Structures are given as structure tokens and as C-alpha cells.
Amino acid sequence: MLFLSLNTILLAQETFQIKGTVTDAKTQQPIEGVTIIGKDNLYAISSSDGSFVINNVPNGNYTLTISHVAYTTKTMVVNVNSKTITISIVLNELTTNLDEITVTGKTKQRLADETPMVSELVSKEFLTTNRENSLMQTLSKIPGVSTINIGSGQSKPVIRGLGFNRVSVVQNGVKHEAQQWGNDHGLEIDQNGIEEISIIKGAASLLYGSDAIAGVVDIQPAKVPAENSLGGEVNLLAESNNDLLGISAGLQGRKEKWYYRSRLTYRDYGDYKVPTDKIRYESYVFDLHDNYLRNTAGNEANAAFSFGYVGDSFKTETFFSNVNAKNGFFANAHGLEVRTSSIDYDRDNRDVDLPYHKVNHFKVVNNTTFYKNKHTIHLELGFQNNHREEHSEPVPHGYMPKPDNSKERVFYKNTYSLNARDVFKPNENHDIVIGVNTEYQNNNIGGWGFLIPEYDRFTLGFFGFSHIDLTDKLHFQGGLRYDFGSIKTNAYYDWFPSTINNSNGSTSRIYLQRSQNKTLDFNNVSGSLGLSYIGEKTTYKFNIGKSFRMPLANELASDGVNYHMYRFERGNLDLDPEESYQLDLEMDYSSKKLSFGFSPFVNFFENFIYLNPTSNYYETLQIYEYTQSKVFRFGGEFRLGYAFLDNLRLDTSVEYVYSRQTSGPKKDFTIPFSPPLSGLLSANYRFKKQLLFFKELQFFADYRITAEQDDIVPPEEKTDGYQVLNLSMTSNINLFSSAKAAQLRFKVNNVFNTKYFNHTSFYRLIDVPEAGRNVSISLTIPF
């Protein structure tokens, strides 16, 4: 009897595991974000490959409820009586009637597949697993996406070799507007709290406006919280290379139809280390103390809040956010004055000395959607204020006396945005979209160093397109867009007199004029046509389009010394808008074990704008002038993945871009910052069983192989090839609740402390290698 009692107790205490996959009934593709709920706090959400695991399940019968916003809810009974119960769940797409509105539920992946544009959905799981110091560094693992890096915490997006204002970054439906024209101006967006991003590769001007000539990073609004819910998370982060400490806390809740979201983030970091103790720049050698890249420390404090309402015929949400950052610039990247500076840059690796920048970006955005019969009307209104200050040591240059303060340049930019579109659905297989985008920018300047003038910029665009489901598998989309833009620059005169030689041999002291009062108008027509075909396991896409981009104020009217680049930059008021023609193709295959894809493109610029070095000098500084040329480009991405075992998957990707100028002063050369051939080998191993207190333990290995870049445009220099290994581990652990496990992430970047140069990095131009080995640990605690 004693034996039977002990055996019964042991059996009752023994726990088991439920694992499985969720797939679409039609396409057989995995479904991400499906919620699986049962009694006794059983809970799981399916990952990007459709898999889920529920641990610590006592024996017995359980009724599981499987739900997803785009699929019919399903229930099933599972009898748990062995170590591991494996189940397969198949869901059907949801079609429901809401009053007189017919809503056809499709997954975002299905909608992306039906759209001919080459795009990629980035999930929250990907963002969490691959998180780096900045949002764009996190996304750089995606084929075709790279970054222009400026230090350890700043970077700007590059898609297929094109960046700056050729890539639009959209957040909550409104284009992010800062000082993105600058080489050393990062992206003022807090990556914490972002749940999903859509990346469009190639011309997307039809939907997003003229600046989307190369692609779009579209940061989607977070999902509306469940009714009568309250929850949140705390994210903790620490890194070894720059002694970073960070915390981010988010809270969201909903009561009936009203809901809110909030987040606070703070990060503080010191100078980061590089795998060298010397930097060579302009024939000078600068020693680095303990491998620290001096004066690259900084801090960041961000706050965000939104509130919304979900009604029967409309929904609305208003977002408030503020990003505030202070970052040092590597001292030797700001000219050569540091040779005689009295600043002790090696005194403390956490202080921020001159030169440095401060930026504050405030944003208010409202998204409102109205449902009326067969019409869905979307309105997006936005206001942004970007205040950026660049401080450097005051020193005299040429005729300029020594300034009495450190404010070299100050920018105050206000941006007002309005987007409106009507989605009309005459029948179940046809969507007609008509819309308008308008934006007004006012940019004021300050400081003693002039580079670009004050300006006002106004753009207005009208567009319309049609999406037709020709069959369940074949889909057509085509449209046209008309844009008008106007830019008005203001006159600027030096605050100090310069000496000039007159034709009669005399000299005069005058205040030189750097820019003039000038108004320029631009207009253009763009459009695209495309087809997509969705088979059982294979998707094909074809898209051809024309897009354009207005010249920026710096390209038209700059006339000053850029000490960050140690050169004199001069604009050109005769520049025409860029016009681009692009053909995109994509083939994607996916099965339970094997997936591969190929995305080639061909691109021609009628008048590509770039900064060209000349043989002229201004006070010992080489003059660079903006000019235009015809440019031919082609390239693409290839992806291949295979699940060798249920818990082992290998993936590889290759990306390549070829660019050639076919006219202009640099004919037969490439264009600046052209990325080299690059490949990424990845392995993911998932443990089937719990190991100690680690649940759903996974190991990742990424091996980046990059070829040398010897296809350059002077004065660029060649960049050697390199190989870099990154390792990481993720796991769920029970800290306070078994229903909501915490996520632990441990990562080692640049495992072998390899010295290498990223060809698209800003600091590469001054012989600064990428960061050395970095160990990071993060913990996300949901509540």
C-alpha cells in the first residue's frame, strides 16, 4: 500500500510536454502569432515557423483553444499521458460579416505574398532574437539590408546599396523626418516595443512618396490590446564592449473600447573598443588607450505613450514619442584639430567631450480608420520637431576668428504630415485605392559653422491603384502617382568678413554670401505594374516601376566646410529630380523542411545625384560638388534554408549589387558606399527538452563572409574582405510566473575579435575598424 501511494504521488507530480505546429489549411504554410490556451495556465504562441511548445503539463485531458485574428477559432482535446505529445493544427482563413461591412481576414504574410512588390515581414521574435545597438543594425541580418554606421549606437538604413533620403522610414503610417541627409546623423527611433516591420526592397514611391525611391522600412503599429486586459514587460540589457547598461519598460491596457500603451527607455554607454591600438588618418597616427575609440560614449532617454478607441464603425489611436540622445564623435573624425587640443580624451571612457551632438526628436501621430459600407478610409496626421546640435572645439579657420562657444551647427526642423486614402472594395476580388500625401517642412539653422541654409519644403502627391484577384492564385496590381514639390532656400551671409582680391589689384573685406533666396518647383509622374502568383508552396512576383526623388537642400544649396569629413561641400541649384526605373522579380519556395528564394532586380537612374570630389580647394580643403550622372544597377538576394532535424535548421543567404555610372565626370566608376558581395551562414539548434531551468533553449550561430570591395569611386579606398562569427543563446525561464515566462538572451558578437572594415560604414573613411568582441546579455520580463 505504501508503495502504491508513493507511486501515485510521483505520477501525479510528473509533468509532460505538448508541442506542435500550426499551418494554413490552403497554403500549408506555417502561421505565426497563433495563441494556444488551456486550463491551469497552459499558454503558448506559435513562432515564425508555426511551432509551439507547452512545458510542465500534468497528465490528464485538456481542451485547447487555438485562435488568431485572421483565422477561425478552433478547439481540440488533448490527452496528456506520455513524455511528449505532438499535435498538428490546421486553421482556415476567417471571413465574417460586420453589419454591412464584409471583412475578409487574411494574414499579413498572405497579403504581402499577393502584393507584387518585393517585401519581407520582420516579426517581433526576429527583432528580439537579433537585437543590436540600433534598429538598423538589428535589421542588417536581412538579405539586401545594410547600414551606414556612425559609432556604436547610431546607424542609418541602406537597401540594396542606396541610403540617406532614398530610403523612407515610416512609423505608424507617417514618414520619419529628421536630418537624415547627413553622413553622421543616425535614426532617432526607439527599437524597444516594436512588434512588426515591413521592409520593401525597390521602388515604392507609388504608396509612400518620392523619397521611397530605393525602398521602405515600415514600422507597423502594435496590435490593439485584448479587451479588459492589462500587461507589460521590462527589458534589461548589458554589454561588455562599451559597458552599456539599458532598461526599457512598457505597459499597456484596455477597458472595453478604450486602450493605452506606454514605454520608457534609458541607455547609457561608454567608449567602445576596436581591435587596433592605432588609427591612421591624413598621414597622422593616433594612439588609442586600451583599444577604446575615444569619445564615442553617450546616453539615450526615450518616452512614448499612445491611447486609442475601437468603435463599431471606426478606430483611432494617437501616438506621442520623444527620443533624446547625446553622443560623442570619435575625436579624430572631426578634422585634425585634436592634435593640438587640450582635452584629455583618455581620462574617462564614459564622459562625452567635444566634439559631440545632442538631438531631441518629438513626434505626435494620429491614425484613424473609418468603415463605411464598401469603403475603408484611412487618415494619418503627424507633427515632428527635430532639434539637433553639433558641438565642437572652437578654433579659427581661414578668415573665421575663434568662436566664443562650441555650437558649430544647430538645426530646428518642424514637419507637418497628412496622408488620406480610401480603400474601395466593389467586390470580394477587387480593391481600388485613391489617396493623397502632403508634407510641409520648415528647417531653421544656428551655430557658427554653415553647411546648409534655412529652407521650407512642401510636397503634395496624388495616387491611385487597383489590386485585382484574377484568380485565387493570380493577383494584379497597378497604379499611377503625380507629385508636386517646392523648396525655398533662404539667403545666408558669413558672420565674419573675408578678404577678397579685386580685379584692380586692391582688396576688400566682405561678408561672403553662402546661399540665396531661391524657390525651385518640381513635379513628376510615377507608377508601377505587377503580378504575383501564389502556388501551394511557391510564390512568384513580377513588378516594374518608375519613381522619382526631389533634390534636398544640401544637394541644392550647401556651401560650407563639413569638418566631420574634412572637406568643403557645394550644392548645385541646377540639379534635376532623380528618376529611377526598376524591374523586380521574386521566386520563393517554402515547405516544412526546405525553403529558398531568389530576388533579382535591374535598376536605371536617369540622373543620379552624388557628391563628387573636384581638383579645386578652399582654404586647404578639397571642394566636393553635387553633380548628376546616369547609373545602371543590378543585383539581388538568394536565400536557402533546410531543417535537417526537427530541432536543427541551417540557412544561408547571399546578396550582391553592381553599380556603374554611364555618364558624367565619374563615368565607368561605381557609386559611393556600394556594398560588396556578402553571404551569411546561420544555424539554429532548438533543444527538445527542458535543460535545468532553461525552457525552449535555442542556440544560434551566424557566420558572415564578405568579399573585398575593389570596385570603388575615387577618393574611396578599397576594402578588404572579412569573416565574422557571432554566437547567441535564447531561453525562456520561469521567474515569477509559469504562464508568462521571461526571455533570456546571451550573445557574443565578433567572437574572434576580428579587425575588419565595413565598406558602408562612415568611420571606414578614416581608417576606423568595426567594433571588437562584444558580450551582451538581456532579459525580458513580461507581467
Side-chain angles (χ1 to χ4, degrees):
M1 290 293 295
L2 179 61
F3 172 77
L4 289 175
S5 298
L6 288 173
N7 189 56
T8 302
I9 293 172
L10 290 172
L11 183 62
Q13 291 177 339
E14 191 174 6
T15 59
F16 308 102
Q17 181 186 74
I18 301 174
K19 63 183 295 188
T21 57
V22 189
T23 56
D24 185 292
K26 274 189 178 180
T27 67
Q28 307 301 313
Q29 298 300 304
I31 307 174
E32 181 183 5
V34 177
T35 302
I36 301 96
I37 299 177
K39 66 177 183 179
D40 297 333
N41 293 323
L42 299 188
Y43 179 83
I45 297 178
S46 63
S47 62
S48 57
D49 61 357
S51 64
F52 67 90
V53 177
I54 305 176
N55 292 308
N56 302 322
V57 183
N59 67 316
N61 292 323
Y62 295 87
T63 299
L64 300 180
T65 301
I66 301 100
S67 60
H68 188 282
V69 67
Y71 290 87
T72 302
T73 299
K74 188 174 187 177
T75 59
M76 62 187 305
V77 177
V78 178
N79 178 251
V80 178
N81 55 13
S82 61
K83 286 291 183 183
T84 301
I85 303 298
T86 303
I87 58 176
S88 296
I89 302 171
V90 179
L91 297 183
N92 295 302
E93 286 190 6
L94 173 67
T95 302
T96 61
N97 291 321
L98 178 60
D99 298 330
E100 296 180 347
I101 308 167
T102 301
V103 180
T104 302
K106 293 183 179 180
T107 65
K108 289 187 176 181
Q109 185 60 56
R110 174 73 183 192
L111 291 172
D113 289 343
E114 292 180 359
T115 303
M117 290 185 298
V118 177
S119 62
E120 185 156 353
L121 286 175
V122 182
S123 66
K124 184 177 181 180
E125 181 186 23
F126 177 95
L127 295 170
T128 301
T129 303
N130 297 280
R131 179 159 294 167
E132 299 292 347
N133 270 321
S134 69
L135 174 62
M136 289 315 305
Q137 288 171 341
T138 299
L139 297 176
S140 62
K141 188 177 176 181
I142 296 171
V145 179
S146 55
T147 64
I148 295 177
N149 296 329
I150 314 103
S152 62
Q154 302 175 74
S155 59
K156 54 198 325 123
V158 175
I159 295 179
R160 291 174 166 174
L162 298 178
F164 299 96
N165 278 69
R166 295 182 182 93
V167 174
S168 283
V169 178
V170 177
Q171 187 175 30
N172 299 324
V174 170
K175 187 170 60 175
H176 182 78
E177 281 291 345
Q179 304 289 341
Q180 58 262 44
W181 55 269
N183 289 286
D184 48 1
H185 301 171
L187 195 63
E188 302 91 354
I189 291 179
D190 183 3
Q191 65 176 321
N192 293 284
I194 295 176
E195 293 186 358
E196 189 173 72
I197 297 175
S198 175
I199 296 179
I200 299 175
K201 304 173 188 175
S205 298
L206 177 65
L207 302 180
Y208 294 90
S210 67
D211 283 353
I213 196 169
V216 176
V217 178
D218 191 351
I219 303 170
Q220 305 287 327
K223 296 175 183 176
V224 175
E227 194 170 351
N228 298 317
S229 65
L230 177 66
E233 64 179 24
V234 175
N235 308 92
L236 304 174
L237 174 66
E239 296 186 354
S240 66
N241 183 281
N242 58 351
D243 300 326
L244 180 145
L245 295 173
I247 181 171
S248 182
L251 177 68
Q252 65 178 24
R254 177 177 172 184
K255 185 167 181 62
E256 298 179 351
K257 295 184 177 183
W258 288 95
Y259 64 93
Y260 69 91
R261 284 188 274 255
S262 62
R263 180 166 290 272
L264 296 173
T265 299
Y266 182 76
R267 290 159 31 107
D268 188 277
Y269 52 89
D271 299 341
Y272 71 94
K273 289 186 176 182
V274 291
T276 185
D277 57 1
K278 295 181 186 298
I279 299 295
R280 292 170 176 82
Y281 176 49
E282 293 286 332
S283 302
Y284 291 90
V285 177
F286 301 95
D287 293 321
L288 302 181
H289 178 67
D290 290 337
N291 301 104
Y292 283 111
L293 197 64
R294 55 174 67 117
N295 203 46
T296 54
N299 55 72
E300 183 179 323
N302 309 320
F305 176 79
S306 73
F307 64 92
Y309 177 85
V310 180
D312 296 330
S313 59
F314 81 99
K315 65 178 180 179
T316 184
E317 184 169 7
T318 302
F319 306 86
F320 300 86
S321 65
N322 195 82
V323 173
N324 184 279
K326 180 179 180 181
N327 309 90
F329 289 123
F330 170 49
N332 307 116
H334 207 270
L336 298 173
E337 285 78 16
V338 71
R339 294 171 300 160
T340 57
S341 173
S342 60
I343 298 175
D344 183 2
Y345 289 104
D346 298 322
R347 180 186 70 254
D348 187 345
N349 75 319
R350 296 197 79 88
D351 62 352
V352 179
D353 291 311
L354 297 170
Y356 67 86
H357 86 120
K358 296 193 301 183
V359 63
N360 191 89
H361 193 95
F362 174 72
K363 184 186 298 185
V364 183
V365 173
N366 174 264
N367 295 166
T368 300
T369 304
F370 298 93
Y371 305 98
K372 182 67 174 177
N373 298 325
K374 295 183 178 181
H375 293 266
T376 303
I377 299 172
H378 300 272
L379 294 176
E380 294 145 359
L381 294 93
F383 167 75
Q384 299 174 70
N385 172 263
N386 184 270
H387 179 191
R388 179 183 177 89
E389 296 183 3
E390 297 177 0
H391 292 251
S392 63
E393 226 174 329
V395 294
H397 281 281
Y399 294 108
M400 183 184 75
K402 182 178 179 179
D404 60 2
N405 61 70
S406 66
K407 288 186 180 181
E408 179 186 352
R409 287 197 289 260
V410 182
F411 303 101
Y412 308 91
K413 182 178 181 180
N414 292 320
T415 303
Y416 305 84
S417 306
L418 168 64
N419 304 321
R421 63 190 181 277
D422 178 13
V423 182
F424 172 56
K425 199 172 185 65
N427 58 61
E428 194 173 307
N429 300 319
H430 191 188
D431 289 317
I432 299 174
V433 181
I434 299 174
V436 59
N437 310 116
T438 184
E439 184 181 87
Y440 171 72
Q441 299 176 14
N442 170 251
N443 195 81
N444 298 304
I445 63 172
W448 45 261
F450 175 81
L451 185 57
I452 68 169
E454 295 183 340
Y455 68 87
D456 295 282
R457 185 177 190 260
F458 172 76
T459 58
L460 176 65
F462 300 93
F463 65 90
F465 70 90
S466 180
H467 183 99
I468 304 174
D469 298 335
L470 300 174
T471 68
D472 187 49
K473 296 182 177 181
L474 184 62
H475 308 270
F476 165 83
Q477 182 170 295
L480 287 173
R481 180 184 181 96
Y482 171 78
D483 281 281
F484 169 81
S486 178
I487 185 166
K488 177 182 179 294
T489 60
N490 295 341
Y492 179 89
Y493 293 84
D494 281 345
W495 56 274
F496 56 89
S498 297
T499 300
I500 63 168
N501 296 319
N502 299 318
S503 57
N504 61 3
S506 64
T507 61
S508 300
R509 298 273 287 172
I510 66 171
Y511 293 88
L512 294 177
Q513 183 175 0
R514 297 295 182 185
S515 65
Q516 55 183 293
N517 291 318
K518 187 76 173 180
T519 300
L520 297 171
D521 296 333
F522 305 93
N523 65 89
N524 208 286
V525 175
S526 55
S528 68
L529 290 171
L531 289 170
S532 68
Y533 178 84
I534 304 175
E536 285 191 15
K537 297 181 179 180
T538 308
T539 301
Y540 301 92
K541 291 186 178 185
F542 166 90
N543 194 73
I544 187 168
K546 173 185 180 289
S547 54
F548 98 110
R549 181 183 71 87
M550 281 178 52
L552 305 176
N554 63 304
E555 296 167 334
L556 293 166
S558 60
D559 192 66
V561 177
N562 188 341
Y563 295 110
H564 300 262
M565 302 297 294
Y566 204 61
R567 67 192 183 198
F568 191 96
E569 297 181 5
R570 181 168 290 157
N572 182 354
L573 288 171
D574 295 325
L575 293 176
D576 294 320
E578 287 183 341
E579 294 187 5
S580 171
Y581 302 85
Q582 183 152 323
L583 169 66
D584 284 286
L585 303 172
E586 184 177 58
M587 190 275 286
D588 190 80
Y589 172 88
S590 181
S591 66
K592 188 173 182 179
K593 286 186 173 291
L594 175 67
S595 65
F596 66 85
F598 180 46
S599 307
F601 74 91
V602 179
N603 177 214
F604 176 71
F605 277 88
E606 184 67 35
N607 36 30
F608 185 84
I609 300 173
Y610 69 100
L611 196 58
N612 180 52
T614 71
S615 57
N616 300 319
Y617 283 79
Y618 177 88
E619 297 177 0
T620 74
L621 295 176
Q622 188 176 10
I623 296 177
Y624 284 61
E625 294 181 345
Y626 282 98
T627 188
Q628 292 183 292
S629 67
K630 298 179 186 295
V631 172
F632 174 74
R633 307 170 64 247
F634 70 84
E637 302 85 40
F638 174 78
R639 307 167 300 282
L640 175 65
Y642 189 77
F644 286 88
L645 303 169
D646 290 341
N647 55 343
L648 174 63
R649 181 176 178 85
L650 300 181
D651 291 275
T652 184
S653 63
V654 179
E655 54 193 277
Y656 176 71
V657 174
Y658 171 89
S659 302
R660 188 64 65 224
Q661 298 185 49
T662 60
S663 69
K666 289 296 190 296
K667 183 181 179 182
D668 297 327
F669 283 98
T670 185
I671 59 177
F673 286 103
S674 292
L677 173 68
S678 181
L680 181 67
L681 302 175
S682 301
N684 169 218
Y685 184 84
R686 185 194 302 260
F687 280 79
K688 293 183 177 181
K689 297 181 180 181
Q690 182 172 330
L691 184 65
L692 300 177
F693 52 84
F694 297 109
K695 303 193 305 180
E696 300 179 41
L697 180 63
Q698 295 186 73
F699 282 98
F700 302 86
D702 294 332
Y703 187 59
R704 171 73 68 179
I705 304 174
T706 301
E708 69 171 342
Q709 182 56 289
D710 55 6
D711 188 15
I712 58 172
V713 53
E716 279 190 328
E717 295 184 0
K718 297 179 180 179
T719 305
D720 292 334
Y722 59 87
Q723 299 86 43
V724 176
L725 175 66
N726 300 325
L727 299 175
S728 62
M729 177 272 287
T730 64
S731 175
N732 290 343
I733 57 175
N734 290 335
L735 286 182
F736 308 109
S737 169
S738 59
K740 293 184 177 181
Q743 294 88 45
L744 175 68
R745 174 176 168 268
F746 181 81
K747 189 168 187 177
V748 184
N749 280 351
N750 196 358
V751 173
F752 299 111
N753 203 37
T754 303
K755 180 182 178 181
Y756 69 100
F757 295 87
N758 181 355
H759 193 76
T760 62
S761 171
F762 167 71
Y763 278 164
R764 182 263 307 178
L765 301 175
I766 53 173
D767 197 46
V768 175
E770 295 301 299
R773 183 185 301 112
N774 182 41
V775 180
S776 65
I777 184 169
S778 64
L779 182 66
T780 299
I781 307 170
F783 57 88

